[in-house]
Amino acid sequence: MSAHLDGNPFCVQPLGASGPQLPVRCPTLRAVLDAVDDGMLAADVDGQIAFSDRRACEMAGLELECREGRHLSDFGLPALEQLHRQALGSPDRLLVSDLAFPRTGVFCEARIRAIVDDNGNLLGTVAVLKDARSKRMYDRLKADLLATVSHELRTPLTSILGYASLMLDAGDAMEEMDRAACLETIEAQGRRLLELINDVIEMGKLDSENLRLKMETCCAGGILEEVASDSREACGARRPDVDVIVEQTEPTPMVCDSTRIRQAVTCLLDNAIRYSPPGGRVVLAARREDSRVVIEVRDEGPGIPPEKQGHLFEKFYKVEPPGEGRSGGTGLGLAIVKRIVDLHGGQVFVESAVGKGSVFGFTLPAAEASEESRDLAA
């Protein structure tokens, strides 16, 4: 059964029903949401605005007096309408994308998800808009980045220095097996340190305003095959128990910076392998959906709780499976993926359930729908 949001704030009414099912029209609730710095939008399945708070209207340059009854198209942002449609088509996905409102120049991060009632009726979408220009946010991010990098650098360095000191103190008295174990630990921590440094440098490059993409037409399936082949060679000795498979599909041409997209897929694949159980399978797949190409990496890992999924693409955010200790990742891989996809005008997504594995992926414009993307290479 289909459903919709009526014009009252947060009143949800199935089509054909005699009255709203969730009558929570509350001036206090509106006042609370208007006091929040983030923008919030709720729209029905047709894109009619059921609720928009004060901040969302300010970001878009719209008057508060007539904020309900509008359509998403009134915000002058086709990308927001596209996110709305994609969220409706994939109710289980949380979509995250960077948007810029043309009237005000406000640059924000949009997080949008479908609204579904207890009976499975699709009601519309809700979007949270976070102003990414805020100096306070940037200052906090810089401080958090410095603190996190310092901590992440200190951990492997402490381990390296500790085992090196142990070997020096023991000298020739150390057993050969103990010496080998120390050297293996030093090598592993050294690789971890190098990975972190490389990821921090790469993140800095992607955040640079001078970055230019080298756009070309390429086949998504070909990129997946290359990434899978490279991964089998690089990870064969470390994780021989994980099977990496490329799902065969029809040719999916797209216009992109193939080097950067390979980098994004590699990050997703490395992440999937890291969390895969012994004997697990990781599947890479690409398919065409209307004017978009969808690239997915599916794993059979422990899955991710819903309350943590909204933070997965933040810098240095890591989810450690219970009872399994540290995963060994830097916490920058998914942030790098999101930045690359944002530069291409695409969206990232994640689908996961605890105990049932995860699907990480992103969408890009298909070849014939990518004329605007070519401007990124100029």
Side-chain angles (χ1 to χ4, degrees):
M1 181 176 70
S2 60
H4 73 282
L5 297 169
D6 73 11
N8 295 329
F10 300 110
C11 289
V12 181
Q13 179 178 6
L15 291 176
S18 58
Q21 282 191 331
L22 301 175
V24 289
R25 187 178 183 182
C26 175
T28 302
L29 178 59
R30 175 183 288 284
V32 169
L33 293 175
D34 276 347
V36 176
D37 286 337
D38 295 337
M40 179 177 289
L41 289 173
D44 67 14
V45 293
D46 297 319
Q48 291 294 128
I49 302 297
F51 173 82
S52 58
D53 69 357
R54 171 192 58 81
R55 190 70 186 102
C57 293
E58 290 176 352
M59 289 180 177
L62 299 176
E63 296 180 357
L64 291 174
E65 289 72 19
C66 50
R67 48 183 166 178
E68 271 74 59
R70 291 182 178 274
H71 190 271
L72 283 174
S73 59
D74 295 331
F75 281 75
L77 200 57
L80 181 59
E81 297 179 71
Q82 183 182 16
L83 279 174
H84 169 75
R85 291 191 295 269
Q86 291 176 13
L88 291 175
S90 305
D92 295 330
R93 294 180 184 173
L94 171 68
L95 301 180
V96 183
S97 184
D98 291 334
L99 304 175
F101 288 98
R103 293 192 185 97
T104 61
V106 172
F107 187 77
C108 73
E109 180 187 74
R111 295 171 178 263
I112 186 167
R113 187 188 287 276
I115 304 172
V116 181
D117 68 12
D118 292 339
N119 297 318
N121 298 315
L122 189 61
L123 306 177
T125 63
V126 60
V128 176
L129 311 174
K130 186 177 292 289
D131 190 341
R133 304 174 311 159
S134 170
K135 183 179 184 298
R136 183 182 302 173
M137 177 185 292
Y138 279 120
D139 288 344
R140 187 179 71 248
L141 286 175
K142 285 192 294 185
D144 290 346
L145 177 64
L146 180 59
T148 305
V149 170
S150 299
H151 172 74
E152 293 293 336
L153 288 174
R154 186 183 298 115
T155 302
L157 277 174
T158 300
S159 181
I160 290 170
L161 292 174
Y163 279 97
S165 177
L166 179 62
M167 293 177 65
L168 287 172
D169 291 342
D172 295 336
M174 179 175 281
E175 296 288 340
E176 190 61 32
M177 289 184 61
D178 293 336
R179 185 183 301 277
C182 287
L183 289 174
E184 287 178 3
T185 302
I186 290 173
E187 181 188 30
Q189 294 300 322
R191 289 184 180 278
R192 179 183 170 193
L193 186 61
L194 180 61
E195 181 184 4
L196 174 62
I197 293 172
N198 287 339
D199 282 352
V200 170
I201 292 173
E202 194 60 37
M203 198 73 238
K205 290 179 181 177
L206 292 170
D207 284 339
S208 170
E209 295 181 356
N210 298 322
L211 180 68
R212 291 293 181 267
L213 299 180
K214 298 178 181 178
M215 308 297 279
E216 59 183 346
T217 301
C218 58
C219 179
I223 290 179
L224 298 188
E225 290 285 0
E226 292 175 14
V227 171
S229 177
D230 291 344
S231 177
R232 293 186 191 107
E233 294 181 8
C235 300
R238 182 166 51 90
R239 290 301 308 268
D241 55 332
V242 177
D243 193 11
V244 178
I245 300 171
V246 177
E247 195 171 79
Q248 296 299 320
T249 58
E250 296 181 359
T252 46
M254 57 186 182
V255 175
C256 65
D257 184 325
S258 60
T259 299
R260 291 297 180 184
I261 295 303
R262 270 195 293 270
Q263 180 183 5
V265 176
T266 299
C267 286
L268 293 182
L269 179 56
D270 288 347
N271 196 61
I273 292 174
R274 180 177 292 116
Y275 289 99
S276 289
R281 294 200 327 161
V282 176
V283 178
L284 289 75
R287 66 180 183 276
R288 175 73 178 266
E289 285 187 0
D290 299 326
S291 61
R292 299 174 297 132
V293 172
V294 181
I295 294 177
E296 294 181 344
V297 178
R298 304 193 290 267
D299 66 58
E300 299 174 343
I304 303 161
E307 66 272 14
K308 296 184 178 181
Q309 294 179 19
H311 301 285
L312 290 172
F313 293 95
E314 296 175 2
K315 296 175 183 176
F316 294 108
Y317 187 83
K318 291 189 284 188
V319 178
E320 305 295 351
E324 297 187 20
R326 295 177 60 88
S327 65
T330 65
L332 282 174
L334 294 180
I336 289 174
V337 172
K338 182 179 181 299
R339 182 56 179 154
I340 291 173
V341 174
D342 286 343
L343 289 170
H344 282 80
Q347 286 87 41
V348 295
F349 63 85
V350 58
E351 300 172 7
S352 186
V354 175
K356 297 183 179 179
S358 303
V359 179
F360 283 87
F362 54 87
T363 64
L364 296 176
E368 61 270 26
S370 301
E371 292 302 320
E372 293 183 2
S373 296
R374 297 177 191 270
D375 296 338
L376 293 171

